[in-house]
Amino acid sequence: MNEPGVRPGLSALAALATLLGATSLYPLFQDRSWIAPVTGAVVVVTVTAMVSRRLRLAPALDLLAGPAVLLLYVTALYAGSSALLWLIPTPGSLSVLADVLRGGWNTAETYAAPLPVGDGVRLLAVLGVGLVAVTVDLLAVRLHRAAPAGLPLLAMYSVPAAVRSESVHWLTFAAGSAGYLALLVADARTRVTGWGRPVFTPRPDQEAPGARPTGSAGRRVGLAAIAASVAVPALLPGTSGLFGLGERDGGGSTTITTADPLVDLKRKLTRLSNEEVLRYRTTSGDPDYLRIYALDRFDGNRWTYSPLVAGSAPLIREDRELPAVPGLSAAATEDGATEITVGDKVRDMKFLALPYAPRRVRIEGDDWRADRQSLMVFSTGDDADGMTYSVDSRRALPTTGQLRESGFHAMPPEYTRLPDGLPEELSELTWKVTAKGATPFDRAVLLQRWFHREFTYSLEPAPPSRMSDLMAFLRDREGYCEQFAATMALMTRELGIPSRVVVGYAPGTRQADGSHLVRQRDAHAWPELYFEGAGWVRFEPTPSGTGAPASVGIPDYTRQESRRKEPEDARPTAPSTPTTAPAPGPTPGAEGQPQAAQDQKTEAASDGGSPLPVGWILGGLAAALLVAAPRLVREAARRRRWAGAGDPAAAATAAWSQLRADTLDHGLGWHPAESPRGVLRRLGPALGTEVAEPLARITLASELSRYAPPGHPQRATAASLRADTATVRSALAASSSPPARWRARLFPPSSLDVLRRAAARLKGLARSRRGGGD
């Protein structure tokens, strides 16, 4: 019989539950080399805990045993050459560990998930999961509290939910849940059997009493709960493939997701090694840029591309042309053939670098597809690492006159769509810079010229992750290609011109053998603008010769326009598309009337012939105040809510209350008994992947404030949570119908909820006072 407190079986189950929960971390890493050291850490920690309990060490030593042995373990793995006997930490080994850990942290800060796995990233994973194993063993085995042991296990699931837009696979969820339930069952069985054997008199027609029926019922309930939680999400969009690339949409087609292209762009531009990416040969006399991603969605903070569903993208075949080039019908074209060889060190290349517009692609693999609208070529299973592929392309050669006369009525409205709440400063600046442009093309060229003349190239600014970063770029007037491309695309949409941001590579450097070499620092971003007849054409706002790739150049059709002398009396005219906003300026009114008529109105207003209708004015003010009251109440509640969010826990409560109010305002309802995770599951599919991360951060903050023990560190700050609630509010507005949006603006239901809560508090206060008086 085991000694009390040793319980090796329960210790083994605690370790198994930790390992099964750690499988949820797979979306964070590019390969699986982290699994072995993490498994070793859990095994070492568990064996240490079992030995310390067998030896009956003092409680303080027992608590320190696990972390101490974990330190010995990571020292042997990552700093053994500087340690005593390759195991015992020394100041030198601790310094090495700190450097490795710092490198892993820098990688996590620089890269978008999935992270490239080096020693630093592996050390982060080992320490994180190892400490979770220490905590689970302490709670479930040492303190006999198996239920709270689910909190550190839940923390591992919350990490990918907070940093990734896609969910983990259902198998990892089911495995982690099963491990936790097994831990609970084992703990319950240990508690019951601790009272001794049950005494009963068996009868042929009656089941024996005891723990068996209760245990069976508990297992049935647990298994049914796991099955339901797995089966229900599997029937909905958004479940991902196990250790795979993408997600599944409602029709069963794979939806491609990747790391953020713009974050990856900054990493390539700042990488010291500047490795070779590809080499190519082309029949074109003027090599073109190589496109990889076309980002057509702006969510108010950053640019992303529309979901790529493999089922709707045709497979590439050598004897079949790609889908038609959007909008290319009138401009002259140049056909070219390009052979591209991907560098040996390139890994996981799922999107091909191609000149625009590709017409036919020849590459090994059976799963390469082409998106019909953007002509991005991608794969759900193959990759182009180290391969050679060829592409036939057709480049548009529009003239300045053609672009000046063309429109863009045939484009879907999403290419000119702007989110609500853009700064008025941006609109005013856009129209001020382009005031002398007579056509949309003229205005686009003026914007390009303005960036070249007024801005400087610099890699110092961080990648823009919110609207305030782009506004800071406009004020500071320095940045790199991402800021130039993203800002010009946004400003041209303000002008009503369909636009998108493209990420790829500049043409690279010509070699002695006639080929072109493209390196990491040739990574580039630029805007594409749509004009009927020419389709999507490239603009280049990034200044050249100031640290940008040397092969960056202004397109000829805009260079011709730049050399044309501007007419002194040029005036902005109304754009030729209904999606274009009017230029700011005085609206027709009193200024357009003859001076005599204005004088007559002035005299009539000042001769005192008729008294002011004070009653009507006061009545109008009262009516206006009554109409504005719901909105004023909501704004007052919002200010009061965030004014008290001084600490992280209060900020989490404020963010959750704000989410509740915004959800009520847009007519999505709110269930009082609904958990934060339930709200996430309900709102996530309705709002889309663009707000999955902000919504997950709000949910996680609320869960930590409710369920985490006192003193547990809160990750989110009040400022970040407030920004996340603003992002979710914008998404709620975008997904609602126009009547719902106007109701949310003018007559928000949350204002009535605020009044109801205030009335309930007053009623309770009055009742308590009456009770005190009695």
Coordinates of all heavy atoms in Angstrom, one line a residue, residues 27 119 154 179 248 471 550 648 769:
P27 N 0.2 25.1 -32.9 CA 0.1 26.1 -33.9 C 1.2 27.2 -33.7 O 1.3 28.1 -34.6 CB -1.3 26.7 -33.7 CG -2.1 25.7 -33.0 CD -1.1 25.0 -32.1
D119 N 16.9 27.3 -30.3 CA 17.1 27.0 -28.9 C 16.4 27.9 -28.0 O 15.8 27.5 -27.0 CB 18.6 27.1 -28.6 CG 19.4 25.9 -29.1 OD1 18.7 24.9 -29.5 OD2 20.6 25.9 -29.1
L154 N -5.6 25.1 -18.7 CA -6.4 26.0 -19.5 C -5.5 27.1 -20.0 O -5.7 27.6 -21.1 CB -7.6 26.6 -18.7 CG -8.4 27.7 -19.4 CD1 -9.1 27.0 -20.6 CD2 -9.4 28.3 -18.5
G179 N -7.5 14.0 -20.5 CA -6.5 13.9 -19.5 C -6.9 14.6 -18.2 O -6.7 14.1 -17.1
R248 N -11.1 24.7 -42.1 CA -12.2 24.1 -42.9 C -13.3 25.1 -42.9 O -13.8 25.5 -41.9 CB -12.6 22.8 -42.4 CG -11.6 21.7 -42.5 CD -11.4 21.2 -43.9 NE -10.3 20.3 -44.0 CZ -9.9 19.8 -45.1 NH1 -10.5 20.1 -46.2 NH2 -8.8 19.0 -45.2
M471 N -1.0 57.1 -38.7 CA -1.1 58.5 -38.5 C 0.3 59.0 -38.1 O 0.7 60.1 -38.4 CB -2.2 58.9 -37.6 CG -3.6 58.5 -38.0 SD -4.0 59.1 -39.7 CE -3.9 60.9 -39.4
A550 N 17.6 48.4 -54.2 CA 18.1 49.2 -55.3 C 17.3 49.1 -56.6 O 17.3 50.0 -57.4 CB 19.5 48.8 -55.6
P648 N -5.3 45.9 -13.9 CA -5.7 44.9 -14.9 C -7.0 44.2 -14.7 O -7.8 44.0 -15.6 CB -4.5 43.9 -14.9 CG -3.3 44.7 -14.4 CD -3.9 45.7 -13.4
R769 N -32.4 50.3 3.4 CA -32.5 51.4 4.4 C -33.8 51.2 5.2 O -33.9 51.4 6.4 CB -32.5 52.8 3.7 CG -31.2 53.2 3.3 CD -31.2 54.6 2.7 NE -29.8 55.0 2.3 CZ -29.6 56.2 1.8 NH1 -30.6 57.1 1.6 NH2 -28.3 56.5 1.5

